[in-house]
Every structure is written in structure tokens, then in C-alpha cells.
Amino acid sequence: MYQADYLQSFVKNVFQKIGCPPQEALLASEVLISADLRGVDSHGIARLAGYVRLYDNGRLNPTPQVRVVYETLSTATVDGDRGLGLVVAPQAMRIAMEKAAKVGSGWVSVRNSNHFGIAGYHAMMALEKDMIGWTMTNAAPLVTPTFSLDKLLGTNPLAVAVPTRNEPPFVADFASTAVAYGKFEILQRQGLPAPLGWAQDAEGNPTDDSNAVKSGGGLLPLGSDREHGSHKGYGLGAIVDIFSGVLSGANYGPWVPPFATAGFMAAQAGVGLGTGHFLGAMCVDGFRPVEEFKDNMDRWIGAFRKARAVEGKQVIIPGDPEREAEVIRRQEGIPLLEPVVQSLVELAQRFELEFTVK
Amino acid sequence: MYQADYLQSFVKNVFQKIGCPPQEALLASEVLISADLRGVDSHGIARLAGYVRLYDNGRLNPTPQVRVVYETLSTATVDGDRGLGLVVAPQAMRIAMEKAAKVGSGWVSVRNSNHFGIAGYHAMMALEKDMIGWTMTNAAPLVTPTFSLDKLLGTNPLAVAVPTRNEPPFVADFASTAVAYGKFEILQRQGLPAPLGWAQDAEGNPTDDSNAVKSGGGLLPLGSDREHGSHKGYGLGAIVDIFSGVLSGANYGPWVPPFATAGFMAAQAGVGLGTGHFLGAMCVDGFRPVEEFKDNMDRWIGAFRKARAVEGKQVIIPGDPEREAEVIRRQEGIPLLEPVVQSLVELAQRFELEFTVK
């Protein structure tokens, strides 16, 4: 087990070594480790070596000049100048929140960015101001839309954070696919098959091959097949892609560049700049007095908590599992898989940093 | 087959007979028949008798004073004064579009309304102004969240309409469940079972009983079960409910009143006013020059149209099936099922209107 502070400090040092200014390296490390703390291991320190590889490939600018390229009182497009998505997205969210404070809501599309960590982190920034936060991002194409043999969409997540009174905040944060790709990587390491409904093979047939996406197959949209509504998961992923990519001037659809992990095709010639995000903030009191809203959110959550559940299960409020993971991991530490530890040891050697394997 | 104009005229007359002013009756009839034209039979004239029953039950005000009760430059809450959702929602969308024209985006939550017809109609209103339209609504609880035995959410749809250049607009319009309830009604009439993954029984087990929802079971969220991501469909339905109900001061969760169709529980004591909606409009040029955006939307759609497809199928662009249905039905007419025709004959008798059975 590794303490969050220890890992965060290491991450910050690595980002500084590739040239990020101290304040930005600090923010990026906080966003990245928040994923590990919240139990979303696939989006945390496991990706640190990938960000460094982005830098090595010339696709990451450690000292970006993030700037607004279009705006109205409630909207803007931000160019991330090839900066770390971990830094660009919070800056864009701050702009959205400033607009919301002035005119009730703020909506910012982002181009020329890259992977921004967990969507929920950025949406949750809005909570401190009694705002509802929205986050979307597109991602490299791994997903076959309903009836498609070609991979045209990323796992394109959506996160929404809603303030509450005594209950913890409502935080929904989910990919628009049946499962995230990380679930396949776990099965691949264990040599296990995947449940039907997660992926299709190269001919579009249902498959339990956990390596299907590497051999011409694709991830399935939420809903899995047409009969169970996969066209809706496809529609949701498409909305995320259009808001993140087409609205901002980033790449979209099959043109979204891959994150710097090995194993997938190189980016095709682009139709825009980098990866795209979409972030928004809405003031609760633009709609209803804040205290009235929060009382009703607590009542909403209470009704769901009190629901009768299937034997041995309980009805989960979006955000509960991640919050509970954070309580445990802040106390007991963060478990890291052997390949992740190995990647950190290599980074430590390369950058002449200390990293103590536990 | 019935011509759309003929049906719309009949609908308008019925709404006038229950006291709606001519202009509002006309708008309501246009919204209702647009569902029949677009092939969404469950949300069209089949519901006309239900709206009249709402009126008979004292739940529908034919002459509502729709008013803004809170607002900022980019947000508002509208009280629908128990008016027809078919009329309240377009009025709220106009307010959202006026705000968007001034400050880049406009977002309106609506309380004290009822069923608003097809979500896509209202979202598509934004297209004429080169805006992206958003629509959500909550609905009476038929859906069991993941692991729940209680029905706590409606089928809570989301619609997003996006302008294009030469391609027809992108219009995604879908419920946050595996299937809409109308699919079960079709199977019930035919005495057929439902595919597994659409509903659960009273103990939370998978069932193929197409009557399950009537005997203690529930509709399943998009994703069908936990392993295939039903917590994501539940999260999406929850977001729609919170934006439509909690933000506006309408009812939410288990408290949303049923539409006036028979067969489901009466509304519990409420936590707000009527049914809630959420409508939004964003100016494309608040983010990027309109022509540039439209060119890229056409390119997005082109990439999806050109995708290799499963044998005998094609990749469908959201909005295509409804648009194609409209072309055919404007020409050939609208087919009506016998029970729907019967309901119209009864309305004609009651209100001394003419209705010719074809």
C-alpha cells in the first residue's frame, strides 16, 4: 500500500522533470491521484508513464498558454495549447464557473488537449460554489456503434455533480459503453474471457474474447446490442463526441488521437486539434433558492437509499462507491499492481527521483 | 391510413373543446401529431384520450398562465400552471432560445407541467436559429434502479438536436431505459414474452413476462443489469430526474404523477408541482463559427455513414429513422391501431366532432 501524499509528491516531481511549472505539476498530480483515491485505478498513477510518453512523442506541451478563442457571456471555447488535460480541464472549468457566477451558467468546449484524468474531478469543482458541474470528453476510437464494424467512438464519459445538504453530493461519472476498457485489461492479465455483451469480434458477432478489441473487434456501447438499446449508448457517446470535439474544433469520431499507451493504431490525419472536452457549471440559484434545492436533493437521495433492494444488495447513490473508496484509501493507502510499480521505478531511474517499492 | 392534416385538425378541435385557446390547441396538435409522423406512435394521437382524462381529473388547466418564477441571464425556472406539456414545453424552449440569442446559451427548468409529447420536437426548435437544442423530462416511476425492488424513476428521456449543413440534422432522442414502455404494450396485446434484459419481476429476477411491470416488477435501466452497466442507465435517468424535477420544484423520483393512462398507481402525496422538464439551447457561434461547425458536423455524419456495417445492416445516424418515417407518413398517411381509432371515435361522440374511420 502506498500513501496518497507519497504518490502525489512523486507524480508532481515527474511532471516538473518534464518541464511543467510547479503549480501546474501540483494540480496535475492532485487530479491524477484523485482517481487512485476514488478507486478508478485505470485513470490514476497507472497512466503516469503514458503522459511522459506523450511528452516524449512531442504531443505534450509542458508550458501551455491556455487561452479563450471564442466566447459569449455564458459560453467559450478554450485552446489547451497541447497542455496536460489534467491542467487544461480544471482551468476551463474555472472559466465556466466564472461565467456561471455572472450570468447563471457557463459552458466551455476545449480543443487541443489530451487525457484529462477522471471526469468526476472536474465536475465536482462546481460543488464548492453551489453549482451543478458537467464534464464530458471524447477519446480514441475503441467503440463500434450499433451495427458498425469500424471503431468510431471513444468510451466518451459523462460526469455530473450535484450539491446536497447533509447527504454527500450526487456524482454520476460513467463511460457511454457497457464497460470501460480497463475491465478488459484486467481480464487479459488473468487470461480470462469477458461476459458476452461487452465486445464484438471483427465480424460484428458477440464474443467473450477479452482480446477482441486488439484483433479487429470493438467495445460495445451501453446497451450492448440493438435489442437492449445499444443505439442509445451510441447516441450518448455521439453527443459527448459532438460537444467535446466538433463544437470545440478538436478531433472527433475516428480521428481522436490515441492516448500514449501502446497497442492501438496511430492517429489518422486529424480534422482538428488534439482531444476535446466539454465542461459546464450551472448555478442552482439560477433556478431555485439553494437551500430549497439542497433539501430536495437530500430527500431525493433518501428515497433511493430507503428503497427495498435485491437480497444481499443495496441501491447505490451515484458517487457513493468512489467516496467510500476514498475514505478507505486515505487511511489504508493505495494498492498498486506490479506493472504499475515497475513503470514508476523506471520513471524514478530516468528522472533520478526516489521511489520506494513497498 | 389517416392523413396527418386530418388527424391534427381533429386533435386541435378536441383541445379547443376542453377549453384551450385556438393558438395553443393548434400548437399542441402539431406537437402531438409530430410524434405520429416521426413513427413514435406511443407518444402521438394514441395519448389524446389520456390528455382529456387529465382534464377530466382536474389535473389539466386549459388556459394556463405560464410564467417565469426565477431567472438569470442564462437560466430560468418556468411554472407551467398545470397547462398541457405540449404547450408549456415549446414556450419554455422559446425562453431558452431568447436567452441563448442574448448570452450564448439558455437553460430552463419547468415545473407544474405534464406529458410534453416527444422530446425531440422541442430540441429541434433550436435548429432554426443555428442552436443546439436539449430536452429532458421526468415521468411516472416505472423503472427499478440497479438492485432496487422499488420503482423510483420514469423512462426519463433525453433529446439533443444539432444543426448540420447538407446532411439532415443530428437528432438523438431516447429513453434512459433498455426499452420504452410502449414496447411492452405491443407484446401484451400479442400475448408474447419480452426479451430478457427489459424488465425484472417483483423479486428482482430477470423475467420475460411482458406484464411484469403490472405485477410488482419494473423496467430496467439502459444496460439491463449491473454487469452490462445498468448503473449507468440508472445514473442517466437520475440526472434527467434531478434536472427536470429537483431543479424546477416539480415532483421527482417516486413522486412523479402518472400520466392519465389507466393501470398504474395513483400519485403519492407530492414533493413539488406536477411533472418537470429541462430545456436548453446553445448558440453554435458561442463556440465556433457556424459554417465551420456545420462543415464538421457533415464530416462527422459522413464518417459514420461510410462505416463498414454488419451484413444486411447499416450504421444509423441518430434522427434518420424518424425523418424517414416522416417522409413516408406525410405521403402515405399514418396507420392507427384499432383501440386508438376507437378512442378517437369516442372523443368525437363526446365532443360532437366528426371523425371518419378509414
Side-chain angles (χ1 to χ4, degrees), chain A residues 118-188:
Chain A
I118 50 169
Y121 179 94
H122 313 297
M124 289 173 73
M125 288 172 63
L127 298 175
E128 68 192 56
K129 301 287 187 190
D130 289 335
M131 296 175 182
I132 294 173
W134 266 94
T135 318
M136 300 173 169
T137 187
N138 65 14
L142 297 178
V143 180
T144 43
T146 309
F147 301 139
S148 176
L149 297 177
D150 290 330
K151 292 188 273 284
L152 298 170
L153 291 170
T155 52
N156 297 6
L158 164 70
V160 173
V162 182
T164 45
R165 185 191 292 282
N166 298 314
E167 291 282 355
F170 172 102
V171 184
D173 180 358
F174 53 87
S176 51
T177 48
V179 293
Y181 189 67
K183 295 272 176 77
F184 286 94
E185 292 176 321
I186 293 167
L187 294 173
Q188 287 164 13

Side-chain angles (χ1 to χ4, degrees), chain B residues 25-62:
Chain B
L26 177 64
L27 175 59
S29 67
E30 183 184 311
V31 177
L32 199 68
I33 296 301
S34 78
D36 294 295
L37 280 170
R38 291 171 68 77
V40 190
D41 298 347
S42 56
H43 285 50
I45 199 164
R47 285 185 183 257
L48 181 60
Y51 286 103
V52 173
R53 209 149 51 235
L54 267 182
Y55 169 75
D56 290 338
N57 295 341
R59 285 176 50 203
L60 177 69
N61 176 2

Side-chain angles (χ1 to χ4, degrees), chain B:
Chain B
M1 292 293 204
Y2 293 81
Q3 287 303 308
D5 289 349
Y6 181 77
L7 294 182
Q8 190 184 326
S9 171
F10 179 76
V11 171
K12 175 177 175 292
N13 289 336
V14 169
F15 283 138
Q16 282 195 250
K17 287 283 186 180
I18 63 171
C20 297
Q23 277 306 108
E24 297 189 7
L26 177 64
L27 175 59
S29 67
E30 183 184 311
V31 177
L32 199 68
I33 296 301
S34 78
D36 294 295
L37 280 170
R38 291 171 68 77
V40 190
D41 298 347
S42 56
H43 285 50
I45 199 164
R47 285 185 183 257
L48 181 60
Y51 286 103
V52 173
R53 209 149 51 235
L54 267 182
Y55 169 75
D56 290 338
N57 295 341
R59 285 176 50 203
L60 177 69
N61 176 2
T63 55
Q65 299 300 311
V66 176
R67 65 196 174 93
V68 171
V69 286
Y70 292 99
E71 70 179 317
T72 68
L73 286 174
S74 77
T75 67
T77 291
V78 161
D79 187 307
D81 197 20
R82 297 186 299 119
L84 275 171
L86 303 168
V87 167
V88 174
Q91 288 188 50
M93 191 66 185
R94 289 270 168 234
I95 295 170
M97 290 167 65
E98 284 163 17
K99 288 181 179 290
K102 284 180 192 155
V103 298
S105 74
W107 306 88
V108 177
S109 72
V110 179
R111 70 188 193 196
N112 215 2
S113 184
N114 49 56
H115 201 286
F116 73 8
I118 52 169
Y121 179 94
H122 314 296
M124 289 173 73
M125 288 172 62
L127 298 175
E128 67 192 55
K129 301 286 188 190
D130 289 336
M131 296 175 183
I132 293 173
W134 266 95
T135 318
M136 299 173 172
T137 188
N138 65 13
L142 297 179
V143 180
T144 43
T146 308
F147 301 139
S148 176
L149 297 178
D150 290 330
K151 293 189 273 285
L152 298 169
L153 291 170
T155 53
N156 296 6
L158 165 70
V160 173
V162 182
T164 45
R165 186 191 291 282
N166 299 315
E167 291 283 354
F170 172 102
V171 184
D173 180 358
F174 53 87
S176 52
T177 48
V179 293
Y181 188 67
K183 296 274 176 76
F184 286 94
E185 293 176 319
I186 294 168
L187 295 173
Q188 287 164 13
R189 278 194 290 270
Q190 299 172 330
L192 292 174
L196 289 176
W198 287 15
Q200 68 181 27
D201 68 15
E203 284 76 44
N205 301 310
T207 182
D208 64 359
D209 176 5
S210 56
N211 289 290
V213 179
K214 292 180 180 174
S215 49
L219 290 190
L220 293 172
L222 179 58
S224 297
D225 58 38
R226 179 63 180 78
E227 186 171 74
H228 295 88
S230 69
H231 55 301
K232 302 175 185 187
Y234 156 38
L236 185 62
I239 291 166
V240 170
D241 192 36
I242 291 167
F243 278 60
S244 301
V246 186
L247 205 52
S248 67
N251 289 292
Y252 47 80
W255 293 282
V256 180
F259 185 65
T261 47
F264 292 113
M265 62 176 195
Q268 304 177 41
V271 291
L273 298 171
T275 296
H277 318 310
F278 185 80
L279 303 106
M282 297 196 309
C283 291
V284 164
D285 68 4
F287 297 94
R288 183 176 196 180
V290 169
E291 298 310 316
E292 211 178 279
F293 175 84
K294 289 183 169 178
D295 284 345
N296 280 280
M297 269 311 294
D298 277 13
R299 189 163 185 177
W300 189 99
I301 291 173
F304 283 69
R305 281 204 200 290
K306 281 188 308 229
R308 294 175 304 131
V310 172
E311 176 101 29
K313 300 288 186 183
Q314 61 180 46
V315 178
I316 290 165
I317 309 302
D320 273 2
E322 294 88 351
R323 187 174 40 79
E324 287 161 11
E326 182 162 353
V327 170
I328 293 169
R329 289 184 167 195
R330 278 208 187 276
Q331 195 163 2
E332 299 180 2
I334 294 166
L336 296 181
L337 293 174
E338 177 48 34
V340 175
V341 171
Q342 188 51 39
S343 75
L344 301 179
V345 168
E346 286 167 18
L347 289 171
Q349 285 167 347
R350 169 173 170 184
F351 293 117
E352 300 181 335
L353 293 168
E354 200 177 295
F355 184 81
T356 309
V357 176
K358 297 284 171 75

